[in-house]
Amino acid sequence: MTATGPRNAPDGAEAVDAVDAVDVVTLGESMVTFLPSRPGRLADVPSFDRAIGGAESNVACTLAAAGHSARWVSRVGADGFGDHLVEAIGAYGVDVTAVRRDPARPTGIYFRTAGDRATDAHEVAYYRTGSAASAMTVENTDLNAVRAGRVLHLSGITAALSEGCRGLLRELTAPGSGRPLVSFDVNYRAGLWADADGSGVLLELARGADVVFVGEDEAQEAWGVTGGPEAVRAALPEPGVLVVKQGGAGATAFVSAAGGRGLVAPTRRSRTCHRPAPLGSPGGHAVPPAGSRAAGAAPDPKRGGTPQARAGDTAPASAPTPGTFVPALTVDVVATIGAGDAFAAGFLSAALRGLPAATCLRHGHLTAAAALTAPGDLAPPPARAHADRLAALDDDAWGRLRLGPGWTHADDHAVQRAVDRADEEVRTP
């Protein structure tokens, strides 16, 4: 994964003439993360361990570890923390040659406590205002490098950083010749949108993407959409692939006939599918076409996403068919941070291999389980053969599987024992 031309050129430098194509390009801010040495308030923790964290770089690192070619595009400061990010992400096998250095702005950092983000005791202290990444714009970003991938993965977090970042994401999601397939993780963080219309911006970007990941809770908080995955699909019919994450219950994928420009095989059966088809087979069931709308409803960004009837919208000839649902795994959670990024990476990894929607969902759950059973924001995914074997389990075995810390290194015998016995957990032997 090499490129010709200057890489860390100053703003305004001429873009490279040729860039090697990769499977996936991600663009967004990564920060140096400081993890506490023990539980407690930030005021009481005496020391921290250094790590890296960032939604888009997490996806790039996980995909590279899974055997795909990946590039991360961003800006970091001309400081030691910037050096560490570029070196650490590059060590995963990610192409970092399109990362630019900003001599006037620092690399973002943050500190967090050891508690789960869902608890009131959890604290996070961000130091990212005015960071190098927040200064990304259309003009100072190497768009050739960004667009030289089969898939371009973006996140709503980047859009929240600055007006310049929002303009960049609008440019990258706009229709046009030569645009790669765009994957977009909504990643709604209300605290990042104090001075902007986050709901409207995220809806606009999601409608322009080919593959969208969004949580049920995010859809409700950002757009006021309730009623389950089908309601989210009715409110967001444009993406060829829409993945609605349902927390510990599982996830549902809606795939149009185009399948996100061919990335995911369209589903063909007429009922909700809980079992992934054999690897390499079409699998799944019918879903509504991308342009259909339930009773003409579409979210209105000016009114917090509440579905509103719009002129020219018509109801589909028949009721939309439910999407493909795959239940989540039983996991002994160590830390929840990074699980959403891991899920997206696992889903995209399977999709890049041409696997059907249900199998992509299972790979998403498995990769998320690797993150859930490890500390920090980033965890190596299971080996491809290991994940393929687990993804091919029948419904009953999948439902009885329990994964604990170290499961990604377990041998086949440990996995089979866990499948045979519902009360046994997969761990490192």
Side-chain angles (χ1 to χ4, degrees):
M1 295 182 290
T2 60
T4 61
R7 267 299 159 203
N8 295 323
D11 293 352
E14 184 177 354
V16 296
D17 294 326
V19 181
D20 286 350
V22 294
D23 291 332
V24 177
V25 177
T26 71
L27 177 143
E29 180 173 40
S30 188
M31 293 176 289
V32 174
T33 308
F34 289 93
L35 308 177
S37 57
R38 70 182 190 194
R41 301 184 309 154
L42 286 177
D44 300 327
V45 175
S47 60
F48 296 81
D49 294 321
R50 186 182 63 178
I52 61 173
E56 299 84 2
S57 60
N58 285 350
V59 171
C61 290
T62 303
L63 285 167
H68 301 280
S69 56
R71 172 180 298 124
W72 173 58
V73 179
S74 188
R75 291 174 73 84
V76 299
D79 50 32
F81 288 144
D83 294 340
H84 175 63
L85 280 176
V86 172
E87 292 168 5
I89 294 171
Y92 277 84
V94 176
D95 177 5
V96 294
T97 55
V99 177
R100 290 185 171 174
R101 311 302 290 264
D102 190 328
R105 300 175 181 86
T107 302
I109 64 173
Y110 78 94
F111 297 78
R112 66 173 175 84
T113 53
D116 191 290
R117 279 182 175 172
T119 69
D120 292 336
H122 184 77
E123 297 175 75
V124 178
Y126 287 104
Y127 299 90
R128 71 194 309 177
T129 302
S131 69
S134 70
M136 286 189 294
T137 65
V138 172
E139 291 74 25
N140 66 22
T141 301
D142 185 350
L143 298 183
N144 287 342
V146 173
R147 290 169 170 150
R150 289 179 60 191
V151 176
L152 169 59
H153 181 73
L154 306 169
S155 161
I157 293 174
T158 304
L161 298 181
S162 67
E163 187 58 45
C165 287
R166 286 190 283 280
L168 176 58
L169 262 63
R170 285 185 173 112
E171 170 70 21
L172 295 174
T173 56
S177 60
R179 191 191 92 162
L181 184 145
V182 174
S183 166
F184 181 69
D185 193 336
V186 171
N187 258 326
Y188 180 62
R189 303 287 186 269
L192 295 177
W193 289 98
D195 301 322
D197 176 21
S199 299
V201 171
L202 293 175
L203 183 60
E204 173 193 351
L205 295 173
R207 284 177 162 172
D210 301 291
V211 179
V212 171
F213 299 92
V214 63
E216 252 186 326
D217 55 345
E218 291 179 302
Q220 180 174 355
E221 186 178 2
W223 305 320
V225 176
T226 60
E230 287 75 17
V232 179
R233 181 53 162 174
L236 192 60
E238 292 87 355
V241 178
L242 173 66
V243 179
V244 181
K245 297 175 288 184
Q246 299 162 256
T252 299
F254 298 89
V255 184
S256 73
R261 293 165 60 188
L263 182 69
V264 178
T267 50
R268 295 182 180 178
R269 290 201 290 273
S270 60
R271 60 181 177 83
T272 301
C273 176
H274 294 270
R275 177 185 301 176
L279 299 182
S281 65
H285 60 276
V287 294
S292 68
R293 291 182 173 88
D300 181 355
K302 294 182 180 180
R303 301 189 61 179
T306 303
Q308 302 289 323
R310 302 192 307 183
D313 286 347
T314 57
S318 58
T321 305
T324 301
F325 171 79
V326 171
L329 292 158
T330 301
V331 177
D332 285 351
V333 176
V334 173
T336 59
I337 298 173
D341 306 328
F343 181 93
F347 186 96
L348 291 173
S349 175
L352 285 163
R353 297 166 57 201
L355 303 181
T359 309
C360 292
L361 288 171
R362 284 202 172 187
H363 278 273
H365 287 315
L366 288 164
T367 311
L372 289 167
T373 53
D377 289 26
L378 188 58
R384 181 173 293 183
H386 190 21
D388 282 347
R389 185 163 183 266
L390 293 178
L393 294 172
D394 61 35
D395 285 354
D396 183 62
W398 177 266
R400 291 187 292 117
L401 194 61
R402 179 180 174 185
L403 303 178
W407 73 269
T408 56
H409 303 294
D411 60 23
D412 284 348
H413 296 296
V415 174
Q416 190 59 54
R417 287 197 303 270
V419 170
D420 293 339
R421 295 181 53 194
D423 60 346
E424 186 162 334
E425 177 182 26
V426 179
R427 290 180 180 267
T428 302

